Amino acid sequence: MITRRLLLAGALALVITGCSSGPDPAAPAASASGDGKYTIGVANFMLGGPYFSGMDKAIAAQAQKKGNVEIISTDANGDAAKLASNVEDLLSKNVDAVIISGGPLESAPAVLNSIKAAGKPVVLVDRKFQTGEYTSWIGPDNEAIGRQNGEFLAEKLPDGGKVGIIKGGPADNTIGSARTNGVKSVLSAKSNITLVEAPDFGNWGSDGGLTVMESLLATNGDLKAVFCENDAMCLGAQRAIADAGKTDQIIIAGVDGQAEALKAIMDGTNYLVTGLNDADIIGAMGLDRAVEILGGAQVEKDTVVPSPRVTKENAKQFMNPDGSF
């Protein structure tokens, strides 16, 4: 927990000191109400998964700590048109800034155009959209997380074997593909390792991971390891592996640092590694970034948050009993 707090402190210091580009010229230097208080809208593409709901809670918790920030949070339930409508509604309430948690959404030009037209700053957390203008983005290097997972699996499988890959979807989701590409860039170079990509998507949830893992085991009962594009799917996959009596055969690697995954790693199960992509940390940083912009500070356009490898040796340090994720 100490290391997790230090990582958060260091990341927040990075936000404050890493000032390479200025804020959106249209961003106000004071709150719209003029009373020193800010109202910040949080536009969530979806809150249906633990990571995204954790992000939303982390933003609200950080706002509460500041004491002068009110949060208005919305949920588009995975509907891009609804996200645009929610943003228009937030702008009609004259919020001072907007934070967007885009989840698997690749782009939202209408949303970003509306915010720009309203002269408000917009901070993207976790997801960087492929098109459109934004004021600042805070998130991980997903391909680097995948590479470090691939390196870990290569170390654990010196004799080779089959490695299953469970993807979240949809097919054009660059967050997931970056993670998988990172793993593949390492393991595809190993002549004694065979990669088996599941044909179906796990949809980023535990139930999806369970179903896809069951299908993988039906056709590849000799798997030695499985990589999932997030921890939630890996937790479901772990259940399927246990149900098949293959816990001692198959090791598991995930991404995010979800509390349940950290506990499984700490407990010495076959869940051996994850790459930290902490919703609590990124959410808190996103809220702070928005407040800094509103205060007139110069901030980085893009901030990559460190994503250390988490194993049994250090998992306890990253477990936060007070976290939202």
Side-chain angles (χ1 to χ4, degrees):
M1 184 173 174
I2 294 174
T3 298
R4 185 168 180 153
R5 285 176 173 169
L6 288 174
L7 180 61
L8 174 56
L12 293 179
L14 178 64
V15 171
I16 295 170
T17 60
C19 304
S20 60
S21 64
D24 187 323
S31 64
S33 61
D35 60 1
K37 296 182 179 180
Y38 298 118
T39 300
I40 296 177
V42 182
N44 295 289
F45 180 59
M46 57 190 297
L47 291 177
Y51 186 85
F52 305 121
S53 62
M55 181 80 71
D56 187 63
K57 292 173 184 176
I59 292 170
Q62 190 72 0
Q64 188 171 20
K65 290 178 183 178
K66 291 192 173 299
N68 67 333
V69 180
E70 178 186 354
I71 292 296
I72 302 175
S73 179
T74 65
D75 180 11
N77 293 305
D79 184 333
K82 177 62 174 172
L83 179 69
S85 174
N86 287 345
V87 167
E88 292 289 354
D89 185 55
L90 290 171
L91 294 173
S92 74
K93 293 179 168 62
N94 200 27
V95 296
D96 297 297
V98 179
I99 296 173
I100 298 179
S101 174
L105 188 66
E106 285 295 299
S107 63
V111 171
L112 294 179
N113 289 341
S114 293
I115 297 171
K116 181 181 179 181
K120 308 291 184 179
V122 56
V123 176
L124 308 180
V125 288
D126 183 51
R127 157 65 72 187
K128 183 196 292 187
F129 291 138
Q130 298 302 298
T131 60
E133 296 182 34
Y134 58 92
T135 311
S136 191
W137 164 79
I138 297 172
D141 182 337
N142 286 295
E143 189 162 351
I145 297 173
R147 284 196 302 271
Q148 71 185 16
N149 270 358
E151 291 162 357
F152 180 90
L153 291 174
E155 294 167 4
K156 293 297 180 180
L157 300 173
D159 297 326
K162 284 186 179 179
V163 177
I165 295 176
I166 298 178
K167 297 172 288 186
D172 62 351
N173 186 338
T174 55
I175 285 180
S177 62
R179 294 173 180 179
T180 288
N181 289 341
V183 170
K184 291 168 66 175
S185 71
V186 176
L187 297 185
S188 62
K190 306 295 181 181
S191 60
N192 61 350
I193 289 179
T194 301
L195 298 176
V196 182
E197 292 190 34
D200 300 318
F201 295 123
N203 296 314
W204 303 99
S206 178
D207 290 344
L210 171 69
T211 301
V212 173
M213 190 71 228
E214 287 174 340
S215 297
L216 265 181
L217 289 172
T219 54
N220 296 274
D222 55 346
L223 286 173
K224 296 297 183 183
V226 62
F227 164 76
C228 309
E229 290 179 346
N230 77 340
D231 283 330
M233 291 188 295
C234 267
L235 290 165
Q238 187 178 40
R239 285 160 43 209
I241 292 167
D243 290 345
K246 295 182 181 291
T247 296
D248 293 336
Q249 173 187 314
I250 302 174
I251 60 176
I252 300 170
V255 181
D256 279 345
Q258 187 174 335
E260 292 85 352
L262 295 182
K263 185 177 187 306
I265 293 171
M266 287 168 54
D267 289 347
T269 71
N270 60 330
Y271 206 131
L272 298 190
V273 66
T274 189
L276 194 70
N277 177 38
D278 194 289
D280 290 329
I281 292 173
I282 294 176
M285 290 178 67
L287 188 282
D288 284 351
R289 175 63 54 88
V291 172
E292 288 156 11
I293 292 168
L294 290 171
Q298 289 192 332
V299 301
E300 285 186 322
K301 177 76 170 181
D302 297 325
T303 298
V304 177
V305 180
S307 300
R309 176 192 289 179
V310 183
T311 63
K312 186 177 180 180
E313 287 70 32
N314 65 351
K316 185 176 181 180
Q317 301 169 7
F318 295 101
M319 181 66 81
N320 180 9
D322 299 322
S324 303
F325 178 65

